[in-house]
Amino acid sequence: MDASAHQKHIGTVALSTITSTPSTWDSGSGIYPLLVGHSYAVKCTPEGYAKFNVTAVGTGGDPDWSATVQYYFSKGSSFDK
């Protein structure tokens, strides 16, 4: 199993514009802050992939770890929505 990080900060784009998984992933093992209005793609090992857009951060009392997102999950490398 590949234990390297599979995350991609895609920027301020609508989720509907992300139709497939990225061809490259952001490097490094750091956890970057989530930004409201930004979209991301992640690998959910080994089940598939998710794309999500952050709609709010700090909603659960801990601004460093809580977030509200809209997301789509796919078992393959493409997204239907």
Coordinates of all heavy atoms in Angstrom, one line a residue:
M1 N 0.8 -1.2 0.0 CA 0.0 0.0 0.0 C 0.9 1.2 0.0 O 1.9 1.3 0.7 CB -0.9 0.0 1.2 CG -1.7 1.2 1.3 SD -3.0 1.2 2.6 CE -2.1 1.2 4.1
D2 N 0.6 2.2 -0.8 CA 1.3 3.5 -0.9 C 0.9 4.4 0.3 O -0.2 4.8 0.4 CB 1.0 4.1 -2.2 CG 1.7 5.4 -2.5 OD1 2.6 5.8 -1.6 OD2 1.5 6.1 -3.5
A3 N 1.9 4.7 1.1 CA 1.6 5.5 2.3 C 1.8 7.0 2.2 O 1.6 7.7 3.1 CB 2.4 5.0 3.5
S4 N 2.2 7.4 1.0 CA 2.5 8.8 0.8 C 1.2 9.6 0.7 O 0.1 9.1 0.4 CB 3.3 9.0 -0.5 OG 2.6 8.5 -1.6
A5 N 1.3 10.9 1.0 CA 0.1 11.8 1.0 C -0.5 11.9 -0.4 O 0.3 12.1 -1.4 CB 0.5 13.1 1.6
H6 N -1.8 11.8 -0.5 CA -2.4 12.0 -1.8 C -3.5 13.1 -1.5 O -4.7 12.8 -1.2 CB -3.1 10.8 -2.3 CG -2.1 9.8 -2.8 ND1 -1.5 8.8 -2.0 CD2 -1.5 9.7 -4.0 CE1 -0.7 8.1 -2.7 NE2 -0.6 8.6 -4.0
Q7 N -3.1 14.4 -1.6 CA -4.0 15.5 -1.5 C -3.6 16.5 -2.5 O -2.4 16.6 -2.9 CB -3.8 16.1 -0.1 CG -2.4 16.5 0.2 CD -2.0 16.7 1.7 OE1 -2.7 16.1 2.5 NE2 -1.0 17.5 2.0
K8 N -4.6 17.3 -3.0 CA -4.3 18.3 -4.0 C -5.2 19.5 -3.7 O -6.4 19.4 -3.6 CB -4.6 17.8 -5.4 CG -4.3 18.7 -6.5 CD -2.8 18.9 -6.6 CE -2.5 19.7 -7.9 NZ -1.1 19.8 -8.0
H9 N -4.6 20.6 -3.4 CA -5.3 21.9 -3.3 C -5.6 22.4 -4.7 O -4.6 22.8 -5.4 CB -4.5 22.9 -2.5 CG -5.1 24.2 -2.3 ND1 -4.4 25.4 -2.3 CD2 -6.4 24.6 -2.3 CE1 -5.2 26.4 -2.2 NE2 -6.4 26.0 -2.2
I10 N -6.8 22.4 -5.1 CA -7.2 22.8 -6.5 C -7.5 24.3 -6.6 O -7.3 24.8 -7.7 CB -8.3 21.9 -7.0 CG1 -7.8 20.4 -7.0 CG2 -8.7 22.3 -8.4 CD1 -8.8 19.4 -7.3
G11 N -7.9 24.9 -5.6 CA -8.1 26.3 -5.6 C -9.6 26.7 -5.6 O -10.4 25.9 -5.2
T12 N -9.9 27.9 -6.0 CA -11.3 28.4 -5.9 C -12.0 28.1 -7.2 O -12.3 28.9 -8.1 CB -11.3 29.9 -5.7 OG1 -10.5 30.6 -6.7 CG2 -10.8 30.3 -4.4
V13 N -12.4 26.8 -7.3 CA -13.1 26.3 -8.5 C -14.3 25.5 -8.0 O -14.4 25.0 -6.9 CB -12.3 25.3 -9.4 CG1 -11.0 26.1 -9.9 CG2 -11.8 24.1 -8.6
A14 N -15.4 25.5 -8.8 CA -16.6 24.8 -8.5 C -16.3 23.3 -8.5 O -15.5 22.8 -9.4 CB -17.7 25.1 -9.5
L15 N -16.9 22.5 -7.7 CA -16.7 21.0 -7.7 C -17.1 20.4 -9.0 O -16.5 19.4 -9.4 CB -17.6 20.4 -6.6 CG -17.0 20.5 -5.2 CD1 -18.0 19.8 -4.2 CD2 -15.6 19.9 -5.0
S16 N -18.1 21.0 -9.7 CA -18.5 20.4 -11.0 C -17.4 20.5 -12.0 O -17.4 19.7 -13.0 CB -19.7 21.1 -11.5 OG -19.5 22.5 -11.7
T17 N -16.4 21.3 -11.8 CA -15.3 21.4 -12.8 C -14.2 20.4 -12.6 O -13.3 20.2 -13.4 CB -14.6 22.8 -12.8 OG1 -14.0 23.0 -11.5 CG2 -15.7 23.9 -13.1
I18 N -14.3 19.7 -11.4 CA -13.3 18.6 -11.1 C -13.9 17.3 -11.6 O -14.8 16.8 -10.9 CB -12.9 18.6 -9.6 CG1 -12.5 20.0 -9.2 CG2 -11.9 17.5 -9.4 CD1 -12.4 20.1 -7.7
T19 N -13.5 16.8 -12.7 CA -14.1 15.6 -13.3 C -13.2 14.3 -13.1 O -13.7 13.3 -13.4 CB -14.4 15.8 -14.8 OG1 -13.1 16.2 -15.5 CG2 -15.4 17.0 -15.0
S20 N -12.0 14.5 -12.7 CA -11.1 13.3 -12.5 C -10.1 13.6 -11.5 O -9.9 14.8 -11.1 CB -10.4 12.9 -13.8 OG -9.6 14.0 -14.3
T21 N -9.4 12.6 -11.0 CA -8.4 12.8 -10.0 C -7.2 13.5 -10.6 O -7.0 13.4 -11.8 CB -8.0 11.4 -9.4 OG1 -7.5 10.6 -10.4 CG2 -9.1 10.8 -8.7
P22 N -6.4 14.2 -9.8 CA -5.3 14.9 -10.3 C -4.2 14.0 -10.9 O -4.1 12.9 -10.4 CB -4.7 15.7 -9.1 CG -5.7 15.6 -8.0 CD -6.6 14.4 -8.4
S23 N -3.4 14.5 -11.8 CA -2.3 13.7 -12.4 C -1.1 13.8 -11.5 O -0.2 13.0 -11.5 CB -2.0 14.1 -13.8 OG -1.7 15.5 -13.8
T24 N -1.0 14.9 -10.6 CA 0.0 15.0 -9.7 C -0.6 15.4 -8.3 O -1.7 16.0 -8.3 CB 1.0 16.1 -10.1 OG1 0.3 17.4 -10.2 CG2 1.7 15.8 -11.4
W25 N 0.1 15.1 -7.3 CA -0.4 15.4 -5.9 C 0.5 16.4 -5.3 O 1.7 16.5 -5.6 CB -0.5 14.1 -5.1 CG -1.5 13.1 -5.7 CD1 -1.1 12.1 -6.5 CD2 -2.9 13.1 -5.5 NE1 -2.3 11.4 -6.8 CE2 -3.4 12.0 -6.2 CE3 -3.8 13.8 -4.8 CZ2 -4.7 11.6 -6.3 CZ3 -5.1 13.5 -4.8 CH2 -5.6 12.4 -5.6
D26 N 0.0 17.2 -4.3 CA 0.9 18.1 -3.5 C 1.8 17.2 -2.7 O 1.5 16.2 -2.2 CB 0.0 19.0 -2.6 CG -0.9 19.9 -3.4 OD1 -0.5 20.2 -4.5 OD2 -1.9 20.4 -2.8
S27 N 3.1 17.6 -2.7 CA 4.1 16.9 -2.0 C 4.2 17.3 -0.6 O 3.7 18.3 -0.2 CB 5.5 17.0 -2.7 OG 5.9 18.3 -2.7
G28 N 4.9 16.5 0.2 CA 5.1 16.8 1.6 C 4.1 16.1 2.5 O 3.1 15.6 2.0
S29 N 4.4 16.0 3.7 CA 3.6 15.3 4.7 C 2.9 16.3 5.6 O 2.2 15.9 6.5 CB 4.4 14.3 5.5 OG 5.4 15.0 6.2
G30 N 3.0 17.6 5.4 CA 2.4 18.6 6.2 C 0.9 18.6 6.0 O 0.4 18.3 5.0
I31 N 0.2 19.0 7.0 CA -1.3 19.2 6.9 C -1.5 20.7 6.7 O -1.1 21.5 7.6 CB -2.0 18.7 8.2 CG1 -1.8 17.2 8.3 CG2 -3.5 19.0 8.1 CD1 -2.4 16.6 9.6
Y32 N -2.0 21.1 5.6 CA -2.2 22.5 5.3 C -3.6 22.9 5.7 O -4.6 22.2 5.8 CB -2.1 22.7 3.8 CG -0.8 22.1 3.3 CD1 -0.7 20.9 2.6 CD2 0.4 22.8 3.5 CE1 0.5 20.4 2.1 CE2 1.6 22.3 3.1 CZ 1.7 21.1 2.4 OH 2.9 20.6 2.0
P33 N -3.8 24.2 6.1 CA -5.1 24.7 6.5 C -6.1 24.6 5.4 O -5.8 24.9 4.2 CB -4.8 26.1 7.0 CG -3.6 26.5 6.2 CD -2.8 25.3 6.0
L34 N -7.3 24.3 5.7 CA -8.4 24.3 4.7 C -8.9 25.8 4.6 O -9.0 26.5 5.6 CB -9.5 23.4 5.2 CG -9.2 22.0 5.3 CD1 -10.4 21.2 5.8 CD2 -8.8 21.4 3.9
L35 N -9.1 26.2 3.4 CA -9.6 27.6 3.1 C -11.0 27.6 2.6 O -11.3 26.8 1.7 CB -8.6 28.2 2.0 CG -7.1 28.2 2.4 CD1 -6.3 28.6 1.2 CD2 -6.9 29.1 3.6
V36 N -11.8 28.4 3.2 CA -13.2 28.6 2.7 C -13.3 29.0 1.3 O -12.6 29.8 0.8 CB -14.0 29.6 3.6 CG1 -15.4 29.8 3.1 CG2 -14.0 29.1 5.1
G37 N -14.1 28.3 0.5 CA -14.3 28.5 -0.9 C -13.3 27.8 -1.8 O -13.4 27.9 -3.0
H38 N -12.4 27.1 -1.2 CA -11.4 26.3 -2.0 C -11.8 24.9 -2.1 O -12.5 24.3 -1.2 CB -10.0 26.4 -1.3 CG -9.4 27.8 -1.5 ND1 -8.2 28.0 -2.1 CD2 -9.9 29.0 -1.1 CE1 -7.9 29.3 -2.1 NE2 -8.9 29.9 -1.5
S39 N -11.4 24.3 -3.2 CA -11.7 22.8 -3.5 C -10.4 22.0 -3.4 O -9.3 22.5 -3.7 CB -12.3 22.7 -4.9 OG -13.6 23.3 -4.9
Y40 N -10.6 20.8 -3.0 CA -9.5 19.8 -2.8 C -9.8 18.5 -3.3 O -11.0 18.1 -3.4 CB -9.2 19.7 -1.3 CG -8.8 21.0 -0.6 CD1 -9.8 21.9 -0.2 CD2 -7.5 21.4 -0.4 CE1 -9.5 23.1 0.4 CE2 -7.2 22.6 0.2 CZ -8.2 23.4 0.6 OH -7.9 24.6 1.2
A41 N -8.8 17.7 -3.7 CA -9.0 16.3 -4.0 C -8.1 15.4 -3.1 O -7.0 15.9 -2.8 CB -8.7 16.0 -5.5
V42 N -8.6 14.3 -2.6 CA -7.9 13.4 -1.8 C -8.1 12.0 -2.2 O -9.1 11.6 -2.7 CB -8.2 13.6 -0.3 CG1 -7.8 15.0 0.2 CG2 -9.7 13.4 0.0
K43 N -7.1 11.1 -1.9 CA -7.2 9.7 -2.1 C -7.6 9.1 -0.8 O -7.1 9.4 0.3 CB -5.9 9.1 -2.5 CG -6.0 7.6 -2.8 CD -4.7 7.1 -3.4 CE -4.9 5.6 -3.7 NZ -3.6 5.0 -4.2
C44 N -8.7 8.3 -0.8 CA -9.2 7.6 0.4 C -8.8 6.2 0.3 O -9.5 5.3 -0.2 CB -10.7 7.7 0.4 SG -11.3 9.4 0.3
T45 N -7.6 5.9 0.7 CA -7.0 4.6 0.6 C -7.7 3.5 1.4 O -8.0 3.8 2.5 CB -5.5 4.6 1.0 OG1 -4.8 5.7 0.3 CG2 -4.8 3.3 0.8
P46 N -8.0 2.4 0.8 CA -7.9 2.0 -0.6 C -9.2 2.1 -1.3 O -9.3 1.6 -2.5 CB -7.4 0.5 -0.5 CG -8.2 0.0 0.7 CD -8.2 1.2 1.6
E47 N -10.2 2.7 -0.7 CA -11.5 2.7 -1.3 C -11.8 3.5 -2.5 O -12.6 3.2 -3.3 CB -12.5 3.1 -0.2 CG -12.6 2.1 1.0 CD -11.6 2.4 2.0 OE1 -10.9 3.4 2.0 OE2 -11.4 1.5 2.9
G48 N -11.1 4.7 -2.7 CA -11.4 5.5 -3.8 C -10.8 6.9 -3.6 O -9.8 7.1 -3.0
Y49 N -11.6 7.9 -4.1 CA -11.2 9.3 -4.1 C -12.3 10.2 -3.7 O -13.5 9.8 -3.9 CB -10.7 9.7 -5.5 CG -9.5 8.9 -6.0 CD1 -9.7 7.7 -6.7 CD2 -8.2 9.4 -5.7 CE1 -8.6 7.0 -7.1 CE2 -7.1 8.7 -6.1 CZ -7.3 7.5 -6.8 OH -6.2 6.7 -7.2
A50 N -12.0 11.4 -3.2 CA -13.1 12.3 -2.9 C -12.6 13.7 -3.4 O -11.4 14.0 -3.4 CB -13.3 12.4 -1.4
K51 N -13.6 14.5 -3.8 CA -13.3 15.9 -4.0 C -14.2 16.7 -3.1 O -15.3 16.2 -2.8 CB -13.6 16.3 -5.5 CG -15.1 16.1 -5.9 CD -15.2 16.5 -7.4 CE -16.7 16.3 -7.8 NZ -16.9 16.8 -9.2
F52 N -13.8 17.8 -2.5 CA -14.6 18.5 -1.6 C -14.3 20.0 -1.7 O -13.2 20.4 -2.1 CB -14.5 18.0 -0.2 CG -13.1 18.2 0.4 CD1 -12.8 19.3 1.2 CD2 -12.2 17.2 0.3 CE1 -11.5 19.4 1.8 CE2 -10.9 17.3 0.9 CZ -10.6 18.4 1.7
N53 N -15.3 20.8 -1.3 CA -15.2 22.3 -1.3 C -15.5 22.7 0.1 O -16.5 22.2 0.7 CB -16.2 22.9 -2.3 CG -16.1 24.4 -2.2 OD1 -16.7 25.1 -1.4 ND2 -15.3 25.0 -3.1
V54 N -14.7 23.5 0.7 CA -14.8 24.0 2.1 C -15.8 25.1 2.1 O -15.7 26.1 1.5 CB -13.5 24.4 2.7 CG1 -13.6 24.9 4.1 CG2 -12.5 23.3 2.6
T55 N -16.9 24.9 2.9 CA -17.9 26.0 3.0 C -17.8 26.8 4.3 O -18.3 27.9 4.4 CB -19.3 25.4 2.9 OG1 -19.5 24.4 4.0 CG2 -19.5 24.7 1.6
A56 N -17.1 26.2 5.4 CA -16.9 26.9 6.6 C -15.8 26.2 7.4 O -15.6 25.0 7.2 CB -18.2 26.9 7.5
V57 N -15.0 26.9 8.2 CA -14.0 26.3 9.1 C -14.3 26.8 10.5 O -14.9 27.9 10.7 CB -12.6 26.7 8.6 CG1 -12.2 26.0 7.3 CG2 -12.4 28.1 8.6
G58 N -13.8 26.0 11.4 CA -13.9 26.4 12.8 C -15.3 26.4 13.4 O -15.6 27.0 14.3
T59 N -16.2 25.5 12.8 CA -17.6 25.5 13.2 C -17.8 24.5 14.4 O -18.8 24.6 15.0 CB -18.5 25.0 12.1 OG1 -18.0 23.7 11.6 CG2 -18.4 26.0 10.9
G60 N -16.8 23.8 14.8 CA -17.0 22.8 15.9 C -16.2 23.2 17.2 O -16.0 22.3 18.0
G61 N -15.8 24.4 17.3 CA -15.1 24.8 18.5 C -13.6 24.8 18.4 O -12.9 25.5 19.2
D62 N -13.1 24.1 17.5 CA -11.6 24.0 17.3 C -11.3 24.5 15.9 O -11.4 23.7 14.9 CB -11.1 22.6 17.5 CG -9.6 22.5 17.4 OD1 -8.9 23.5 17.1 OD2 -9.0 21.4 17.7
P63 N -10.9 25.8 15.7 CA -10.7 26.3 14.4 C -9.6 25.6 13.6 O -9.6 25.7 12.3 CB -10.4 27.8 14.6 CG -9.9 27.8 16.0 CD -10.6 26.7 16.7
D64 N -8.7 24.9 14.2 CA -7.7 24.2 13.5 C -8.1 22.9 12.8 O -7.5 22.4 11.9 CB -6.5 23.9 14.4 CG -5.8 25.2 14.8 OD1 -5.8 26.2 14.1 OD2 -5.3 25.2 15.9
W65 N -9.2 22.3 13.3 CA -9.5 21.0 12.9 C -11.0 20.8 12.3 O -11.3 19.8 11.7 CB -9.3 19.9 14.0 CG -7.8 19.8 14.2 CD1 -7.1 20.3 15.2 CD2 -6.9 19.1 13.3 NE1 -5.7 20.0 15.0 CE2 -5.6 19.2 13.9 CE3 -7.0 18.4 12.1 CZ2 -4.5 18.7 13.3 CZ3 -5.9 17.8 11.6 CH2 -4.6 18.0 12.2
S66 N -11.9 21.7 12.7 CA -13.2 21.4 12.2 C -13.5 22.2 10.9 O -13.0 23.3 10.7 CB -14.2 21.9 13.3 OG -14.1 23.2 13.6
A67 N -14.4 21.6 10.1 CA -14.7 22.2 8.8 C -16.1 21.7 8.4 O -16.4 20.5 8.7 CB -13.7 22.0 7.8
T68 N -16.8 22.5 7.6 CA -18.0 22.0 6.9 C -17.6 22.0 5.4 O -17.1 22.9 4.9 CB -19.2 23.0 7.2 OG1 -19.3 23.1 8.6 CG2 -20.4 22.5 6.5
V69 N -18.0 20.9 4.8 CA -17.6 20.7 3.3 C -18.8 20.1 2.6 O -19.7 19.5 3.1 CB -16.4 19.8 3.2 CG1 -15.1 20.3 3.9 CG2 -16.6 18.4 3.6
Q70 N -18.7 20.4 1.3 CA -19.6 19.7 0.3 C -18.7 18.7 -0.4 O -17.6 19.2 -0.9 CB -20.2 20.7 -0.6 CG -21.1 20.0 -1.7 CD -21.6 21.0 -2.7 OE1 -21.1 22.1 -2.9 NE2 -22.7 20.6 -3.4
Y71 N -19.0 17.4 -0.6 CA -18.1 16.5 -1.2 C -18.8 15.5 -2.1 O -20.0 15.3 -2.0 CB -17.3 15.8 -0.1 CG -18.1 14.7 0.6 CD1 -18.1 13.4 0.2 CD2 -18.9 15.0 1.7 CE1 -18.8 12.4 0.8 CE2 -19.7 14.0 2.3 CZ -19.6 12.7 1.9 OH -20.4 11.8 2.5
Y72 N -18.0 14.9 -2.9 CA -18.4 13.8 -3.8 C -17.3 12.7 -3.6 O -16.1 13.0 -3.6 CB -18.5 14.2 -5.2 CG -19.6 15.2 -5.4 CD1 -19.4 16.5 -5.5 CD2 -21.0 14.8 -5.6 CE1 -20.4 17.4 -5.7 CE2 -22.0 15.7 -5.7 CZ -21.7 17.0 -5.8 OH -22.7 17.9 -6.0
F73 N -17.7 11.4 -3.6 CA -16.8 10.3 -3.5 C -17.0 9.4 -4.7 O -18.0 9.3 -5.3 CB -17.2 9.5 -2.2 CG -16.4 8.2 -2.1 CD1 -15.1 8.3 -1.6 CD2 -16.9 7.0 -2.5 CE1 -14.4 7.1 -1.5 CE2 -16.1 5.8 -2.4 CZ -14.9 5.9 -1.9
S74 N -15.8 8.9 -5.2 CA -15.8 8.0 -6.3 C -14.9 6.8 -6.0 O -13.8 7.0 -5.4 CB -15.3 8.7 -7.5 OG -15.2 7.8 -8.6
K75 N -15.3 5.6 -6.4 CA -14.5 4.4 -6.3 C -13.5 4.4 -7.4 O -12.5 3.6 -7.3 CB -15.3 3.2 -6.3 CG -16.1 3.0 -5.0 CD -16.8 1.7 -4.9 CE -17.5 1.6 -3.5 NZ -18.0 0.2 -3.3
G76 N -13.6 5.2 -8.4 CA -12.7 5.2 -9.6 C -12.0 6.5 -9.6 O -12.1 7.4 -8.7
S77 N -11.3 6.8 -10.7 CA -10.5 8.0 -10.9 C -11.2 9.1 -11.6 O -10.7 10.1 -11.9 CB -9.2 7.7 -11.6 OG -9.5 7.2 -12.9
S78 N -12.6 9.0 -11.8 CA -13.4 10.0 -12.3 C -14.6 10.3 -11.5 O -15.0 9.5 -10.7 CB -13.8 9.7 -13.8 OG -14.6 8.6 -13.8
F79 N -15.1 11.5 -11.6 CA -16.3 12.0 -10.8 C -17.4 12.2 -11.7 O -17.2 12.9 -12.8 CB -16.0 13.2 -10.0 CG -14.9 13.1 -9.0 CD1 -13.6 13.5 -9.2 CD2 -15.1 12.4 -7.8 CE1 -12.6 13.4 -8.3 CE2 -14.1 12.3 -6.8 CZ -12.8 12.7 -7.1
D80 N -18.6 11.7 -11.5 CA -19.8 12.0 -12.3 C -20.4 13.3 -12.1 O -21.3 13.7 -12.8 CB -20.9 10.9 -12.3 CG -20.7 9.8 -11.4 OD1 -19.6 9.6 -10.9 OD2 -21.7 9.0 -11.2
K81 N -20.2 14.0 -10.9 CA -20.8 15.2 -10.6 C -19.8 16.3 -10.5 O -18.7 16.1 -10.2 CB -21.6 15.2 -9.3 CG -22.8 14.2 -9.4 CD -23.5 14.3 -8.1 CE -24.8 13.5 -8.2 NZ -25.6 13.6 -7.0

